[in-house]
Amino acid sequence: MKKLLTGNEAVAQGAYEAGVKYASAYPGTPSTEILENIAKYTEDILAEWATNEKVALESAMGASVAGARSMAAMKHVGVNVAADPLFTISYTGINAGMVIVTADEPGQYSSQNEQDNRNYAKFAKIPMLEPSDSQESKDMIKTAFEIGETYDTPVLVRMTTRVCHSKGIVHCCERKEVQIKDYKKDVMKYVCVPAVSKRLRVKVEERMQKLSDFSDVTELNYFEWNDKKIGVIASGAAFTFAKEVFGDSVSYLKLGFTNPLPAEKIREFAGNVDKIYVIEENDPYIEEQVRILGFDCFGKNLFPSYGELTSDVIRKSVFGEANKTIEYDRKKVVPRPPTLCVGCPHRGFFYQLGKRKDIIVSGDIGCYTLGFAEPYNAVDLTICMGAGASMGHGAQQVFDMKKDSGKRVVSVMGDSTFFHTGINSLINVSYNRSNAVTVILDNRVTGMTGHQDNPGTGYTLQGKKTVELNIEKLVRAIGIENVVQINPNDLTSVKAALDWALSLDEPSVIITRWPCVLKKLSLQDKEEFKEIFQDKYSIDQNKCTGCKVCIKTGCPAISFDNAAKKATIDLEQCVGCSVCFQVCPVGAIGKVGT
Amino acid sequence: MVKSILLVGVGGQGTILASKLLTTGLMEAGYDVKMSEIHGMSQRGGSVSSQVRYGEKVESAVIELGGADILVAFEKMEALRWLEFLKPGGKVVINNYEISPISILSGKIDYPQGIIEEISEKVDTVVIDAAGHAKDMGNSKVMNVILLGATIKSMGLDHIDWEKIIEGNVKQQFVDINKKAFKCGANLV
């Protein structure tokens, strides 16, 4: 049956067809939809959101040891979190097949860096496949399980944003049931004490040698012979971009199995063409191997090392110019940066925080990262998941070394980030007793990646009711006594909470609790937040003095008319958070209908 | 011959549903189809695009600079932002509808004037009031399907049974209004 699937949907289809029984992930663009789609197979696959990527990988490994085909999926930076188990499960190998999907981001559409995770395959010594489109994404997942079980190894499948989020026609098949294997106790395989690991270390090298031979014979790496003046070696999305540019005018070595690389096939190809272009996104991963084998080529000396190698980029690099475009006045185009949504519960908090002087805000990864932008200017640092509170702690400790520095750190993180790794950072704050203020912006859902459940929402990925972790109790349990929970839309409470926390000389936590405006509310949410999103506010044009204070809330429903010198609220967009109503100094804003 | 349709707009305008209907219809008509969208931060009120490519055999899912046969802008300024992706000699369909980014909403700068003039001087341009027509139909959300109707007509893809595609991909209670919106859009070109 033919279906139009994104790469992520195709990975899910591949997992289904391959008889996967267990899958785990932490959401992260561009990988999120993999587990969301696997989760639809409720009868056949147990799919779970893990608290973070390390936990996801370890859970999948446990499932493999117990005998079921399993999968873990994550965005590229998630593999950093999961790197610890990754490097050692490479030693142990598996019981049933286990596949790790990494979704890399050439072009950095939604990420803090552009790391090339192909290096992880080489570094951790595990085989890797790189699909170019949706059909290959599905097929390669199935092949990855076979390779893994043949060679007793976890397998990495490297996707990129364009493969994950592009759709193509996929021929779908039936599921092949794979029985759960027996678990066999085998300490010489699974207990990585030095005496065992030293022996496994040798096995890893033997395995990689066998996989090197496999790489040279597998059809995942293939030639397309045309004119032999130019030969293109490419993998992943870059292969499709190269084909778009060169069509049938050059020969290709298409690489789908990229660790270990096929030395013999590269030699054969290089020996048959006059000039080699290695077209790969990000690092010179293939290029280095080509050079090690003794062949000169055009690689990063011609193509950029960053961003996507789309067809126009390849054209510019090779021919000096892209296709002809229409000339026009680009100055008229105004940037359209992402903003906090109308009714976003982070707005009230950042409005108040941004007004404070001598505050350093240590941020984290989530929608609230947007607190750095105008009009709030209320985030100083953003590095990675969970870094907010720990960097904040270290900074506070140093600020306090200088007598009367007066500098205070406020660290912010979301609910999902708290469960991911933020909780470790907060334990460190508690243990080492800095007076950094930590704020947990609990919007009752994992927001940025598109509204996934997490340990605080009371539901699992597959919609089962589960225990709802109580953030306040957790914070108290780790030894922080100064905890307050507030409604972030209530500016008076936000100010009072910040005043109180900043007056303390020991750790404190402020929890803001209000649902994301885009969250599909659960029954409990509806019970807890009874008055939510029911009101609308408008501005009395006679009372408005044009002072623009409401504009400083950064709400996209409010606009300012420069000619009339008045602000107005778009009633279709307003959801009644009332932040503008609270800041208006002349009482011009009121609830509609009162 | 591969054709490229570039749908652009602002997060939340329904470009994703429009491209889903479009690609499904093309696949069922027997074309090879690829489509690329970038999700993520852009959903929060940012500029978004759906890139659809179809033909006998499609390699890349991504439309390159100067590569689109038609540019369909769900928002006026987005037409200008993405114009460099249009082939010289290509067509532009513009929804005469403005969504202001925060810098304009706050009164810091004004919404740029003369966009339609700037574009129509250079390429074959059709301006439609999809927002107005959608409002007349009683559901401003069907603006996207009005624009889809206009796109299909402009690309000469009327031979595909789009009503069937709408029936198969839209919630039952919205099928009729979407069919109406589709026809309305096709008649505007």
Side-chain angles (χ1 to χ4, degrees):
Chain A
M1 189 188 163
K2 277 196 316 187
K3 282 187 194 167
L4 250 177
L5 301 179
T6 62
N8 284 346
E9 290 165 341
V11 166
Q13 176 72 29
Y16 170 74
E17 290 178 14
V20 166
K21 287 212 162 53
Y22 180 86
S24 183
Y26 182 80
T29 313
S31 71
T32 311
E33 302 85 4
I34 295 173
L35 256 279
E36 287 181 326
N37 282 287
I38 289 181
K40 292 174 185 167
Y41 302 109
T42 45
E43 298 294 309
D44 302 291
I45 306 177
L46 176 59
E48 298 176 346
W49 289 132
T51 43
N52 65 40
E53 295 85 352
K54 171 172 145 64
V55 173
L57 180 54
E58 291 157 348
S59 302
M61 180 58 186
S64 160
V65 170
R69 282 194 168 184
S70 69
M71 179 185 270
M74 56 202 70
K75 68 181 290 169
H76 62 333
V77 289
V79 180
N80 301 336
V81 180
D84 201 355
L86 180 70
F87 280 74
T88 303
I89 62 175
S90 161
Y91 281 32
T92 63
I94 53 165
N95 183 14
M98 184 200 161
V99 170
I100 306 141
V101 181
T102 170
D104 292 9
E105 273 242 300
Q108 294 187 65
Y109 291 96
S110 303
S111 301
Q112 66 266 41
N113 76 23
E114 200 185 38
Q115 65 188 52
D116 185 337
N117 277 5
R118 293 179 301 173
N119 296 303
Y120 266 118
K122 198 174 167 189
F123 196 4
K125 299 176 188 290
I126 53 174
M128 168 170 60
L129 289 84
E130 276 188 80
S132 296
D133 60 17
S134 297
Q135 180 71 53
E136 285 192 358
S137 297
K138 192 206 78 165
D139 294 342
M140 285 193 187
I141 288 295
K142 293 168 79 175
T143 311
F145 279 101
E146 285 158 21
I147 295 170
E149 287 176 357
T150 307
Y151 294 90
D152 189 10
T153 173
V155 179
L156 188 70
V157 174
R158 189 242 193 179
M159 315 269 290
T160 58
T161 307
R162 286 296 178 180
V163 181
C164 293
H165 284 176
S166 293
K167 277 189 181 178
I169 296 173
V170 178
H171 295 270
C172 300
C173 314
E174 295 299 313
R175 175 175 170 93
K176 194 180 131 224
E177 274 308 330
V178 180
Q179 290 309 309
I180 294 180
K181 288 186 175 175
D182 288 335
Y183 167 74
K184 275 198 216 102
K185 180 168 171 154
D186 187 351
V187 293
M188 293 311 283
K189 180 170 163 68
Y190 294 120
V191 181
C192 289
V193 293
V196 174
S197 288
K198 278 183 194 169
R199 295 165 64 151
L200 295 174
R201 177 75 187 82
V202 179
K203 277 194 173 175
V204 168
E205 292 307 316
E206 288 166 2
R207 178 183 78 208
M208 291 314 281
Q209 189 50 55
K210 285 182 197 153
L211 281 161
S212 196
D213 298 341
F214 170 78
S215 187
D216 271 320
V217 296
T218 174
E219 286 172 5
L220 295 165
N221 299 324
Y222 62 85
F223 303 113
E224 254 185 61
W225 294 112
N226 295 302
D227 189 286
K228 292 179 177 171
K229 277 192 207 68
I230 293 173
V232 169
I233 306 179
S235 69
F239 174 71
T240 69
F241 301 146
K243 284 221 86 173
E244 194 66 36
V245 173
F246 300 108
D248 295 337
S249 68
V250 302
S251 293
Y252 298 91
L253 172 53
K254 198 295 193 179
L255 299 178
F257 186 84
T258 47
N259 192 48
L261 283 159
E264 285 311 314
K265 274 188 177 154
I266 291 172
R267 277 197 191 98
E268 185 184 344
F269 189 71
N272 273 289
V273 297
D274 299 340
K275 190 156 81 173
I276 303 169
Y277 291 134
V278 180
I279 302 183
E280 58 184 328
E281 288 173 328
N282 293 158
D283 293 348
Y285 174 86
I286 300 168
E287 179 187 348
E288 282 175 1
Q289 186 63 33
V290 172
R291 291 190 187 280
I292 286 168
L293 291 170
F295 301 102
D296 195 16
C297 61
F298 291 94
K300 295 301 166 189
N301 52 359
L302 190 63
F303 304 102
S305 300
Y306 48 83
E308 296 182 284
L309 287 194
T310 47
S311 312
D312 33 28
V313 176
I314 296 173
R315 263 184 235 284
K316 260 187 219 161
S317 302
V318 176
F319 307 116
E321 57 181 359
N323 283 338
K324 279 208 172 63
T325 55
I326 296 157
E327 290 297 318
Y328 63 99
D329 183 8
R330 287 194 64 84
K331 285 199 293 285
K332 278 190 180 151
V333 182
V334 179
R336 199 183 285 281
T339 54
L340 296 179
C341 301
V342 175
C344 175
H346 304 326
R347 173 163 289 106
F349 173 75
F350 280 113
Y351 176 80
Q352 287 292 36
L353 190 63
K355 292 208 292 193
R356 306 248 159 186
K357 301 274 177 272
D358 268 339
I359 293 282
I360 291 90
V361 182
S362 184
D364 220 303
I365 307 283
C367 290
Y368 45 87
T369 310
L370 295 171
F372 87 94
E374 292 275 357
Y376 319 105
N377 302 308
V379 171
D380 292 53
L381 315 163
T382 298
I383 302 293
C384 67
M385 290 288 291
S390 31
M391 283 178 63
H393 167 76
Q396 187 68 70
Q397 295 290 51
V398 169
F399 287 138
D400 287 351
M401 287 174 188
K402 213 170 167 186
K403 228 185 162 207
D404 305 321
S405 84
K407 290 208 185 312
R408 290 297 298 273
V409 179
V410 176
S411 310
V412 298
M413 66 173 114
D415 46 335
S416 195
T417 305
F418 173 70
F419 296 119
H420 180 278
T421 37
I423 188 166
N424 299 304
S425 307
L426 194 59
I427 290 171
N428 190 52
V429 173
S430 174
Y431 174 51
N432 290 301
R433 307 312 285 178
S434 69
N435 66 355
V437 177
T438 305
V439 184
I440 301 168
L441 301 162
D442 179 7
N443 63 353
R444 315 300 303 129
V445 77
T446 309
M448 180 64 115
T449 43
H451 306 95
Q452 290 75 31
D453 280 296
N454 68 45
T457 66
Y459 291 89
T460 68
L461 167 58
Q462 288 180 313
K464 285 213 178 85
K465 190 85 192 78
T466 182
V467 60
E468 180 185 323
L469 267 64
N470 183 314
I471 296 178
E472 185 178 346
K473 279 188 187 161
L474 267 168
V475 171
R476 288 189 191 280
I478 63 178
I480 295 176
E481 282 153 11
N482 306 302
V483 190
V484 63
Q485 184 165 291
I486 56 168
N487 172 355
N489 295 330
D490 178 355
L491 298 183
T492 312
S493 317
V494 176
K495 184 176 181 301
L498 284 169
D499 284 343
W500 164 78
L502 290 165
S503 73
L504 300 167
D505 201 24
E506 49 186 42
S508 61
V509 168
I510 300 170
I511 303 164
T512 70
R513 189 174 163 105
W514 194 262
C516 169
V517 65
L518 301 176
K519 185 186 178 187
K520 199 174 164 214
L521 299 177
S522 67
L523 285 175
Q524 287 91 316
D525 288 331
K526 284 177 188 159
E527 212 160 276
E528 181 180 348
F529 308 100
K530 284 203 177 68
E531 309 284 304
I532 198 165
F533 308 141
Q534 286 178 4
D535 300 324
K536 288 189 183 296
Y537 285 81
S538 67
I539 301 177
D540 184 335
Q541 297 296 297
N542 295 320
K543 285 190 192 163
C544 178
T545 61
C547 70
K548 286 186 155 186
V549 171
C550 59
I551 295 292
K552 292 196 180 103
T553 65
C555 176
I558 309 177
S559 57
F560 192 78
D561 183 336
N562 278 324
K565 300 232 176 305
K566 305 275 180 195
T568 50
I569 296 172
D570 177 359
L571 287 184
E572 261 193 49
Q573 291 192 63
C574 178
V575 295
C577 75
S578 85
V579 169
C580 60
F581 161 76
Q582 296 171 68
V583 304
C584 178
V586 295
I589 301 180
K591 214 183 269 187
V592 173
T594 56
Chain B
M1 189 65 186
V2 174
K3 295 274 183 190
S4 300
I5 300 176
L6 180 56
L7 308 176
V8 301
V10 176
Q13 277 197 294
T15 50
I16 290 180
L17 176 69
S19 70
K20 185 185 172 191
L21 295 172
L22 178 58
T23 49
T24 307
L26 290 165
M27 176 180 76
E28 292 192 5
Y31 291 103
D32 186 20
V33 190
K34 281 189 178 166
M35 194 272 287
S36 186
E37 273 165 358
I38 297 290
H39 322 188
M41 285 189 87
S42 53
Q43 285 179 331
R44 309 285 175 266
S47 168
V48 295
S49 74
S50 287
Q51 320 196 355
V52 176
R53 307 194 70 226
Y54 63 99
E56 203 180 317
K57 167 91 178 108
V58 181
E59 299 291 350
S60 159
V62 181
I63 299 175
E64 59 186 302
L65 287 169
D69 295 282
I70 186 169
L71 168 64
V72 183
F74 287 41
E75 198 276 347
K76 200 165 73 178
M77 187 165 56
E78 293 309 308
L80 205 56
R81 188 186 314 279
W82 291 89
L83 190 60
E84 61 183 343
F85 285 86
L86 189 71
K87 259 181 208 163
K91 275 186 209 171
V92 181
V93 175
I94 303 179
N95 183 16
N96 197 359
Y97 184 71
E98 295 178 2
I99 299 176
S100 294
I102 205 85
S103 56
I104 294 172
L105 288 174
S106 63
K108 230 182 224 174
I109 46 173
D110 292 322
Y111 194 96
Q113 298 298 304
I115 289 177
I116 288 172
E117 292 76 5
E118 172 85 26
I119 296 173
S120 56
E121 257 173 37
K122 288 168 177 140
V123 280
D124 180 5
T125 307
V126 181
V127 181
I128 64 176
D129 178 19
H133 289 284
K135 214 173 175 185
D136 291 346
M137 281 179 214
N139 186 342
S140 56
K141 286 201 170 144
V142 298
M143 192 161 76
N144 57 350
V145 176
I146 295 178
L147 286 156
L148 177 66
T151 309
I152 298 306
K153 187 72 186 295
S154 304
M155 290 303 288
L157 291 166
D158 328 47
H159 57 283
I160 297 169
D161 188 353
W162 294 102
E163 293 211 338
K164 198 185 112 200
I165 302 297
I166 290 171
E167 283 162 15
N169 291 280
V170 171
K171 274 193 192 145
Q172 187 55 43
Q173 69 262 42
F174 300 118
V175 165
D176 285 342
I177 190 163
N178 275 297
K179 281 189 191 168
K180 216 170 119 189
F182 185 87
K183 262 187 211 150
C184 163
N187 290 333
L188 290 172
V189 178

